[in-house]
């Protein structure tokens, strides 16, 4: 199983970006998916998650500005980021709890990270 994240880049304060993360491989079920970020000099933090039924949850720091969604048919999770602030600058990582073949094992997988820079 692999997760491939994309969509990062440079954006001005107040701008928007949309991140995507697609899971591929011998996937039986993508149980939950989410996004974390790691800012320079800080620990990786959870910012948003979404269950298999589509129920979202957010960290207080992004609530009201970021929206997580998923496409189960594509095993893909998205993060729409609006009203971006300089403090949102970080490497963003996607994460998924997946049940995979050949043994129906559950595992947590990470994407490679995509850099978001918010600066004027």
């Amino acid at each position: 199983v692999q997760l491939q994240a994309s969509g990062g880049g440079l954006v001005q304060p107040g701008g928007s970006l949309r991140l995507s993360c697609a899971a591929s491989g011998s996937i039986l079920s993508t149980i939950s998916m989410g996004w974390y970020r790691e800012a320079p000099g800080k620990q990786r933090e959870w910012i948003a998650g979404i269950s298999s039924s589509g129920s979202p949850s957010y960290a207080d720091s992004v609530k009201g500005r970021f929206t997580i969604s998923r496409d189960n048919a594509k095993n893909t999770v998205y993060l729409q980021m609006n009203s971006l602030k300089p403090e949102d600058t970080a490497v963003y990582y996607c994460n998924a709890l997946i049940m995979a073949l050949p043994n129906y094992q559950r595992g947590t997988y990470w994407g490679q990270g995509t850099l978001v820079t918010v600066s004027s």
Side-chain angles (χ1 to χ4, degrees):
V1 175
Q2 292 185 327
L3 269 62
Q4 181 70 42
S6 60
L10 174 64
V11 63
Q12 292 187 339
S16 298
L17 278 177
R18 188 192 194 209
L19 305 182
S20 300
C21 176
S24 62
S26 301
I27 298 170
L28 284 172
S29 174
T30 305
I31 300 164
S32 62
M33 305 185 85
W35 290 93
Y36 289 68
R37 68 185 180 187
E38 189 170 325
K42 295 186 177 181
Q43 290 187 330
R44 189 175 299 187
E45 63 170 344
W46 171 84
I47 56 171
I50 188 164
S51 68
S52 56
S53 62
S55 178
S57 54
Y58 302 95
D60 288 344
S61 58
V62 305
K63 196 173 295 182
R65 300 187 299 123
F66 291 9
T67 301
I68 189 170
S69 60
R70 62 186 289 173
D71 184 332
N72 289 334
K74 297 181 179 179
N75 288 317
T76 299
V77 63
Y78 306 95
L79 187 68
Q80 177 66 43
M81 305 184 294
N82 299 328
S83 303
L84 282 161
K85 306 174 182 179
E87 51 263 43
D88 294 317
T89 295
V91 177
Y92 284 69
Y93 296 90
C94 58
N95 161 280
L97 176 61
I98 291 173
M99 181 181 292
L101 292 172
N103 297 321
Y104 298 84
Q105 70 271 20
R106 291 189 178 191
T108 299
Y109 299 87
W110 291 89
Q112 83 284 10
T114 184
L115 177 63
V116 173
T117 303
V118 184
S119 175
S120 55

